[in-house]
Amino acid sequence: MPRSRNTRLRPKDTSRAEARRRHRDEQREVEEDLDPQAETEAVAEEAPKSNPMFAMPNVVADIRALPQVFRKKLVWLPFILLAVTFGLSVALINGVFEGLPDPVTSVISLYISLTLHPTSLFIFFIGGFVAARASYLVGGILGVLSAVIYLSVISIASERARVEHADTLLSTGGEVASVTPELIVQTVGMGLVIGVFAGGFAAWYRRFLRSSQERAAANRAQKEREQAEKAKEQARADREAMRTQKYAEREARRKSSS
C-alpha cells in the first residue's frame, strides 16, 4: 500500500534572509555615517587659510607691486576726485559759481572741504580700500598729492586777493598770507603721515569685512551640515522603526501560519 504523505505545509525558514537583510541595512548605515565625516574633511581641506589681521608690510615688495596695483581702474578714483577738487576750488576762487543757487554752492563748498585739506580722510580711505595691495603707499601718495593741491589753491587764492586788494594793501600796509617753506614742509609731512595711516586702516577694514563674511559663510555651512546630519539620523531612526515593524509583522504571520 502506498505510504501516506504529510500534506501539511511546514513554515518556511526566513531567518537567513532576515539576517542578510539586516546585514545590508547595517552596511548602508555605516556608509551614511562615513559620508558626513568625509564631507567635513573635504570642506576643511578646501577652506582657505585666513590671513592675519595685523602684519608688518614688505615695503620693497609693495613698491615693486605699485605698477600692478595701478592697473586696476578703480584705484584711480580718488585721484580723479582730487583733480575735481582742484578744479572746483579754482573756479570758486575766480567767482565762477556766483550766479548759481545757494544750495548748489553749499554742496560744492562741502565737497571741497571734505576733499581738499590733507587732514581729510575721505580721499585716503577710498584709495586704501580699493587698492588690492600696498594700500598704505597709495594713501601716502594721495596724501602728498592732496598737500600739493592744497598749497596750490592757497597760493592761487593769495595771489588773487593780492591783485584785487592791491590798493587797500598799499594804503594800509597790510600783507596777504602766502605759502612759506615752513607751511610746505608741515603740510606735505602731515599729508604723507595721515595718508599712510588712513590707507593702511582702510586695508585693515577691508580685510575685517572679508573675514567677517567668510566666518558667516562657514557658520552657515556648519549649520547646514548639522541640520543634514540630524535629518539623516531621523531618517535612520524611521527606517529602523519600519524594519522592526515589518519584522514583527512577519513573525506574527509565521506564527499564525504554523
Side-chain angles (χ1 to χ4, degrees):
M1 293 181 65
R3 292 179 298 179
S4 61
R5 296 182 179 180
N6 187 4
T7 58
R8 189 178 64 181
L9 296 176
R10 291 180 297 177
K12 185 177 180 181
D13 187 9
T14 60
S15 59
R16 293 184 178 180
E18 184 64 27
R20 289 194 296 269
R21 187 179 298 106
R22 285 181 175 274
H23 178 71
R24 288 194 299 268
D25 293 339
E26 291 175 358
Q27 289 295 114
R28 190 183 303 110
E29 291 178 0
V30 170
E31 292 177 357
E32 291 177 355
D33 291 338
L34 291 177
D35 287 342
Q37 182 178 2
E39 182 181 356
T40 304
E41 293 177 354
V43 171
E45 291 178 357
E46 294 177 359
K49 297 181 179 179
S50 58
N51 295 325
M53 296 297 294
F54 297 97
M56 292 300 296
N58 189 342
V59 180
V60 177
D62 289 339
I63 292 175
R64 293 176 179 175
L66 277 179
Q68 186 69 26
V69 171
F70 279 99
R71 289 183 181 178
K72 185 179 179 181
K73 295 181 180 179
L74 195 59
V75 178
W76 292 100
L77 175 61
F79 294 90
I80 295 174
L81 294 178
L82 280 179
V84 173
T85 300
F86 179 74
L88 292 177
S89 300
V90 174
L92 185 64
I93 293 171
N94 293 325
V96 175
F97 303 129
E98 290 181 356
L100 296 178
D102 291 339
V104 177
T105 56
S106 299
V107 172
I108 294 174
S109 300
L110 177 62
Y111 172 80
I112 293 174
S113 63
L114 291 176
T115 56
L116 178 61
H117 199 273
T119 58
S120 301
L121 304 179
F122 182 71
I123 294 293
F124 312 145
F125 190 85
I126 294 177
F129 194 86
V130 299
R133 181 178 178 178
S135 299
Y136 64 98
L137 292 180
V138 175
I141 295 172
L142 287 170
V144 174
L145 181 60
S146 177
V148 172
I149 292 176
Y150 176 73
L151 294 172
S152 300
V153 170
I154 290 180
S155 178
I156 295 172
S158 300
E159 184 64 25
R160 181 173 178 81
R162 186 178 295 108
V163 171
E164 290 182 351
H165 305 286
D167 297 336
T168 305
L169 293 174
L170 289 175
S171 61
T172 59
E175 294 182 359
V176 177
S178 60
V179 177
T180 62
E182 292 79 6
L183 181 62
I184 294 175
V185 173
Q186 179 183 358
T187 305
V188 173
M190 182 171 52
L192 176 62
V193 173
I194 294 177
V196 167
F197 279 98
F201 174 77
W204 173 86
Y205 185 68
R206 183 187 65 236
R207 291 194 298 269
F208 172 76
L209 294 179
R210 184 179 302 168
S211 62
S212 299
Q213 293 174 354
E214 291 175 353
R215 284 196 300 269
N219 292 335
R220 287 194 300 269
Q222 180 65 24
K223 187 176 181 180
E224 291 175 357
R225 288 194 295 269
E226 292 176 356
Q227 292 177 351
E229 180 62 22
K230 290 180 180 179
K232 288 183 179 180
E233 291 178 357
Q234 184 63 36
R236 192 181 302 115
D238 294 341
R239 288 196 300 268
E240 183 64 26
M242 185 66 67
R243 286 196 299 267
T244 303
Q245 182 180 359
K246 290 182 179 179
Y247 180 75
E249 293 175 355
R250 283 195 299 268
E251 288 295 320
R253 289 195 300 268
R254 185 175 64 84
K255 290 180 180 179
S256 63
S257 63
S258 62

